[in-house]
Amino acid sequence: MLPNLIKFEKIGFSHTGYISVAEVSKNIDFEIKRVYWTYFTPNHIERGNHAHKKLEQLIFAVNGKIDFNLEDSNGNKHKFTLDAPHIGLYIPPGYWRTIRFSHNAVLLCLASEAYDENDYIRDYNDFLDN
Ligand code: TYD
């Protein structure tokens, strides 16, 4: 599977606001073992700079705007912007990512595995050799 944007239903109306739902087996293909969120990242900071061996992720910008540059170990590049809370970005294992945030961005990640530093590839040359 390639990285891709997934549009979630917006339940509600413009005058009431909305609910969007991610539910295992209905619109998520992996079991969620962990949820984390990042926030208060200044615009000039680039986060990420790693790949995962096994981890699958579904990522939302629940607020603000987040730009992703993804690259596989053959050099295939994909760019995505999350700027609406009902859009998710699915990232399969094996993608080097660099991420930039608007100052108000909140990134919410639904993750298929518990945190495991051994699942990270943090050296770009090791990633290319993988
Ligand atoms: P990292 O995944 O490297 O961050 P980013 O891609 O957002 O720049 O994680 C940053 C730090 O937080 C690192 O020291 C590991 C720690 N961390 C946890 O302890 N548990 C977690 O679930 C995550 C995602 C990170």
Side-chain angles (χ1 to χ4, degrees), residues 34 36 38 46-50 52 97 99 101 114-115 117 120 122:
R34 174 172 53 123
Y36 65 82
T38 71
E46 182 176 84
R47 296 188 67 127
N49 280 300
H50 63 257
H52 286 283
R97 78 284 311 275
I99 312 170
F101 300 74
Y115 174 70
E117 188 57 37
Y120 282 76
R122 291 197 183 272

Side-chain angles (χ1 to χ4, degrees), residues 17-120:
Y18 300 99
I19 299 176
S20 294
V21 182
E23 193 169 333
V24 174
S25 307
K26 286 198 177 157
N27 50 12
I28 305 191
D29 291 336
F30 57 84
E31 292 291 327
I32 299 165
K33 297 229 179 94
R34 174 172 53 123
V35 175
Y36 65 82
W37 49 101
T38 71
Y39 41 92
F40 301 161
T41 300
N43 320 105
H44 65 278
I45 295 295
E46 182 176 84
R47 296 188 67 127
N49 280 300
H50 63 257
H52 286 283
K53 297 174 191 167
K54 199 170 148 204
L55 188 71
E56 293 178 78
Q57 294 165 298
L58 180 60
I59 295 178
F60 296 89
V62 290
N63 193 48
K65 177 169 165 296
I66 309 177
D67 292 312
F68 293 82
N69 277 299
L70 304 179
E71 185 180 346
D72 70 18
S73 55
N74 296 317
N76 298 307
K77 293 182 177 161
H78 306 262
K79 272 179 188 276
F80 295 98
T81 296
L82 292 178
D83 59 3
H86 68 295
I87 307 291
L89 172 62
Y90 171 73
I91 308 182
Y95 282 85
W96 190 265
R97 78 284 311 275
T98 56
I99 312 170
R100 299 292 285 246
F101 300 74
S102 64
H103 69 284
N104 61 342
V106 179
L107 176 156
L108 177 71
C109 178
L110 312 182
S112 67
E113 306 294 332
Y115 174 70
D116 177 6
E117 188 57 37
N118 292 321
D119 189 65
Y120 282 76

